[in-house]
Amino acid sequence: YDISIRSPAGFVARHEHLQLISGQSTALPKELKEGVRLTVLAVNSLTHQPVPGVHFDQDEMSPGYISEKEGSERVTDATGLAKWDGLQSGPAQFGVGAEGFGRWWIVGDDSGGSGINSLRLKLAVGMPVVTVEMEPAVRVSGQVLSPAGEPVKGAVIDIGGLWTGDNRYAKRTDAQGRFVLNFAELDTPPGHDNGYAIVAYDPQGRWANAIGEKFFPKAGNEKSVVLKMTPGGYMHGIIVDTTGKPVAKIEVLAVNRDWIDASYYFPCTLTDDQGHFDLGPMRPGEYEVHPNINFGRGIPMEFRDGKASSKMDDHPRIATIQEGQTLDLGPIPYDGPPPGPLPSWYARRFPQFPK
């Protein structure tokens, strides 16, 4: 076990790799020592001026999840400083949040990383001030409109081409269809130089994804866009196994081969009991249509020669669709393992294909 002790007066002890033996009592050392005093200075990476209002909180590592340690939050003052007393020595992580900033890193730390996750520190008594550079975010504001030109409330807005492994920057539009995104300017994956694009997704499934023009932002840039959604097109077909038998309740995922939408917003549905699927609405383009047993997990991808592609060796059906078109894909063979139990939330996630 790792056991940490902290007294109300700020004295601490940490006992790592403590062995507990069945049927025996194990005594802990009685002595508590002075805790670590930590001072963090936040500065703007472009202007090198102090940054007030930066939120830092210590991560608490619990089995299966990470949470904010109670009472650990500090906010930098007018001089950019935040201070803690009575911290445990040893490795620690601190979450960071600041309006208008997208990345952060410790000056002098060459361990790498994207700069969008928690800071990793090794706390020790007498340690010097830790300087954290804060990089201004890219700011994109705009509005989402329906095919009729009306504001769309509740559309999900995200950044296509920004590969973070999650949708941490996604926002919803307000009652006027407006949004503001603040996000980090990250290096694109090796070989991938297609830039970024703003993606609008309709959770109600009324319209296809809307994609803004591609752009190549730099830290601190600002941009404004208007996205107009369209009715899109539709595909339908049937998934069959190697014997020609329909495959029921398997996910069918359509990936536009420009790979801008991101996996959270791919057109997706389930086959019915007879293996039939109805997929859409979807924006015009060339698609890979994948039968998929990884419910809700998207498609693993890789970059080669400047292009993104699927890492799945499942021989997807390739089809090109135009605005307003409905395609009959016919039977699509599937030779993988049978789909497992359907997650309880899944059936409510996707809208029904219009009859």
Side-chain angles (χ1 to χ4, degrees):
Y1 286 83
D2 265 2
I3 297 180
S4 298
I5 306 170
R6 184 179 188 276
S7 76
F11 292 95
V12 301
R14 185 170 188 170
H15 308 291
E16 299 181 277
H17 310 298
L18 190 71
Q19 299 293 325
L20 299 184
I21 302 173
S22 177
Q24 296 185 20
S25 296
T26 302
L28 297 176
K30 296 180 179 180
E31 182 182 6
L32 298 179
K33 298 179 180 180
E34 181 180 357
V36 175
R37 167 169 285 190
L38 171 64
T39 301
V40 171
L41 171 63
V43 297
N44 187 304
S45 67
L46 301 182
T47 67
H48 306 293
Q49 296 299 306
V51 180
V54 181
H55 292 253
F56 293 94
D57 59 80
Q58 188 173 3
D59 292 343
E60 188 160 58
M61 314 298 289
S62 302
Y65 68 98
I66 301 173
S67 59
E68 177 185 331
K69 189 171 184 178
E70 185 177 356
S72 70
E73 185 182 34
R74 301 289 188 275
V75 182
T76 55
D77 60 19
T79 65
L81 292 173
K83 299 179 180 180
W84 295 257
D85 287 304
L87 297 179
Q88 297 280 0
S89 61
Q93 292 186 182
F94 287 81
V96 185
E99 185 68 28
F101 291 88
R103 291 202 300 170
W104 41 82
W105 54 84
I106 299 171
V107 174
D109 182 359
D110 299 324
S111 60
S114 62
I116 60 176
N117 298 312
S118 295
L119 299 174
R120 297 177 181 269
L121 296 172
K122 189 169 184 179
L123 303 180
V125 174
M127 66 186 298
V129 173
V130 176
T131 301
V132 176
E133 286 192 326
M134 306 290 299
E135 183 180 79
V138 179
R139 185 180 189 273
V140 177
S141 59
Q143 187 178 30
V144 178
L145 302 176
S146 72
E150 299 294 329
V152 179
K153 178 183 177 181
V156 177
I157 311 299
D158 211 341
I159 308 99
L162 181 60
W163 310 104
T164 63
D166 53 33
N167 63 342
R168 68 184 66 196
Y169 298 115
K171 300 290 184 183
R172 295 262 187 168
T173 54
D174 63 16
Q176 288 74 47
R178 299 191 180 277
F179 65 90
V180 175
L181 293 181
N182 289 288
F183 58 94
E185 186 272 307
L186 297 177
D187 294 330
T188 53
H192 180 70
D193 57 358
N194 291 332
Y196 297 166
I198 304 302
V199 179
Y201 163 74
D202 176 25
Q204 298 184 43
R206 297 166 294 181
W207 307 300
N209 294 349
I211 307 292
E213 64 180 7
K214 294 179 181 179
F215 63 105
F216 298 84
K218 295 297 181 184
N221 285 175
E222 296 190 7
K223 180 181 177 63
S224 179
V225 298
V226 175
L227 300 175
K228 189 172 184 178
M229 308 193 98
T230 66
Y234 294 86
M235 296 180 183
H236 57 85
I238 181 172
I239 307 298
V240 297
D241 64 18
T242 54
T243 68
K245 183 180 177 180
V247 181
K249 296 300 184 289
I250 190 170
E251 183 180 75
V252 182
L253 195 78
V255 181
N256 193 304
R257 301 187 90 180
D258 64 16
W259 284 89
I260 293 179
D261 301 271
S263 61
Y264 305 100
Y265 317 116
F266 290 156
C268 187
T269 191
L270 290 171
T271 58
D272 62 18
D273 291 337
Q274 288 74 46
H276 292 98
F277 67 88
D278 299 312
L279 193 61
M282 49 210 310
R283 61 188 178 90
E286 185 180 54
Y287 285 83
E288 299 176 7
V289 181
H290 294 265
N292 182 29
I293 63 172
N294 298 314
F295 297 117
R297 297 179 183 176
I299 296 292
M301 60 180 293
E302 61 184 352
F303 293 94
R304 288 183 182 177
D305 302 323
K307 294 183 179 181
S309 62
S310 167
K311 293 174 67 176
M312 295 180 65
D313 186 22
D314 61 350
H315 311 293
R317 177 68 54 85
I318 308 300
T320 300
I321 194 165
Q322 305 296 328
E323 177 67 34
Q325 186 180 17
T326 298
L327 288 181
D328 184 355
L329 301 181
I332 298 178
Y334 172 72
D335 60 1
L342 189 66
S344 60
W345 50 265
Y346 196 89
R348 300 187 300 272
R349 178 174 175 182
F350 301 104
Q352 187 70 19
F353 180 85
K355 299 300 182 184

